[in-house]
Amino acid sequence: MWTITRLTVKEIISKRIFLITIIMTLVFLTLYGTAIYFAGREGAEVEDAVQGTELILMQQFIASQLLGVGLYFSSFITALLAIMCSVSAISGEVSSHQIDTWLMRPISRSEFVLGKFFGLAFLMISYAVALFFSIILLHQGIGVEWMSLDIEPIQMIKAVSVFAIQPFVLIAFGILLSTRMTTLNAGIVAIILYGAAFIGGFIEQFGAIVEKASLINIGIIMSLVFPIDSMYRKMTILLFDTADSPLSLAQGGMFTSISTPGNIMVWYAVLYGVVAVVLSIYSFKNRDV
């Protein structure tokens, strides 16, 4: 199994798309850092015109919104990469007939699936963690004093732990699809479910604002079907620590959660990924290739 894991990591790293991903990630971080730097400078000049509580509220709102934007697109980029890498994990081997070579070796199908999963999960979780801390460091470091937020190290550790669950679930679900579908079909299904989960999340937040239980329930159902958006919302709560704060809406804005996912949802997402891996093994063992 670990041989498959090691070969999967080497295969992804050796591909040109990996180099392109690293370059474009550096471009994204450079643009984000530049925007934060100039936003911080412009914000500092506002202090002469606005003072007191109004200044504090405006600073907290703008700073948390810009950090939320950076983490939101980091989550989006990580999710797309996780989907693209995982939906071809098995189907790509089958379509190219390389699976015939693997099955002739003394490696069980369950070891093959687990090796693929651990290799992809290791890469994508490492990428997600690195991107998360890069955004935090750029925001808190380059954004000068006006842009910085009071975030404790323990908040970052809790937030990044939940942030990393997203690629874990997406990789597990993508591999499950790739055991039965072609790469294209699996990619379409995963991306549509990903988009539906985020739409469900926004509907849930809107329902919480207008106090409509039916809208909240729609969002909860989507979170149960595909627990991706709820993990992002939980991450923002842990990072901004706004669950019990009357300024939660102002601090988190459209990127935070009014209807807060509980800890049980975090465990549900982890269980969701584990079940998807188990089903992947079962599906591939019973597939005629």
Side-chain angles (χ1 to χ4, degrees):
M1 181 182 74
W2 298 116
T3 302
I4 302 295
T5 300
R6 187 170 63 254
L7 290 175
T8 300
V9 173
K10 285 184 177 179
E11 180 186 358
I12 296 295
I13 292 177
S14 63
K15 286 183 176 179
R16 182 174 296 179
I17 187 66
F18 181 79
L19 177 62
I20 295 174
T21 299
I22 297 299
I23 292 174
M24 294 311 297
T25 300
L26 293 176
V27 171
F28 166 66
L29 291 174
T30 301
L31 292 174
Y32 180 76
T34 303
I36 289 297
Y37 174 74
F38 284 104
R41 284 185 54 185
E42 294 298 323
E45 296 178 0
V46 178
E47 292 186 7
D48 297 332
V50 183
Q51 297 292 330
T53 305
E54 185 180 356
L55 174 64
I56 296 173
L57 286 173
M58 185 173 66
Q59 186 270 333
Q60 288 288 304
F61 177 77
I62 294 175
S64 60
Q65 288 302 285
L66 290 177
L67 180 57
V69 169
L71 292 174
Y72 182 84
F73 282 101
S74 297
S75 171
F76 180 71
I77 294 169
T78 304
L80 285 184
L81 286 175
I83 290 172
M84 287 191 293
C85 290
S86 60
V87 293
S88 63
I90 306 296
S91 59
E93 301 281 354
V94 174
S95 62
S96 65
H97 297 289
Q98 290 185 358
I99 194 67
D100 300 334
T101 306
W102 285 113
L103 295 182
M104 291 175 63
R105 300 182 179 182
I107 300 174
S108 66
R109 293 194 180 192
S110 59
E111 289 177 320
F112 184 78
V113 173
L114 286 174
K116 285 283 184 181
F117 169 74
F118 283 123
L120 291 173
F122 169 75
L123 275 177
M124 291 312 307
I125 290 176
S126 300
Y127 176 82
V129 171
L131 195 53
F132 177 89
F133 281 113
S134 297
I135 291 293
I136 295 288
L137 289 174
L138 284 173
H139 186 275
Q140 299 291 79
I142 295 180
V144 299
E145 185 178 354
W146 198 86
M147 193 59 66
S148 67
L149 294 168
D150 186 17
I151 301 175
E152 299 292 332
I154 188 65
Q155 289 176 258
M156 295 187 208
I157 293 172
K158 289 180 179 178
V160 76
S161 299
V162 175
F163 190 75
I165 293 176
Q166 295 179 87
F168 168 78
V169 172
L170 288 167
I171 291 290
F173 187 75
I175 289 179
L176 173 61
L177 293 179
S178 74
T179 61
R180 288 291 169 177
M181 297 182 179
T182 63
T183 300
L184 179 61
N185 291 342
I188 291 172
V189 171
I191 289 175
I192 288 177
L193 275 177
Y194 175 78
F198 267 92
I199 291 173
F202 280 113
I203 290 175
E204 181 180 351
Q205 303 315 306
F206 179 69
I209 293 174
V210 299
E211 298 181 348
K212 293 292 184 182
S214 58
L215 297 180
I216 296 175
N217 291 335
I218 290 173
I220 292 174
I221 291 171
M222 280 309 305
S223 295
L224 294 175
V225 173
F226 209 48
I228 297 300
D229 178 75
S230 56
M231 292 302 96
Y232 178 80
R233 302 286 174 183
K234 183 69 177 179
M235 182 274 293
T236 60
I237 291 297
L238 292 172
L239 185 64
F240 296 129
D241 194 23
T242 58
D244 301 322
S245 171
L247 300 177
S248 61
L249 182 60
Q251 288 186 332
M254 64 179 294
F255 299 104
T256 191
S257 177
I258 308 303
S259 178
T260 307
N263 291 331
I264 192 170
M265 181 56 76
V266 176
W267 290 111
Y268 173 79
V270 174
L271 180 63
Y272 187 97
V274 173
V275 171
V277 173
V278 173
L279 291 177
S280 302
I281 295 171
Y282 176 80
S283 174
F284 190 53
K285 287 177 72 174
N286 290 279
R287 178 179 178 179
D288 183 11
V289 294

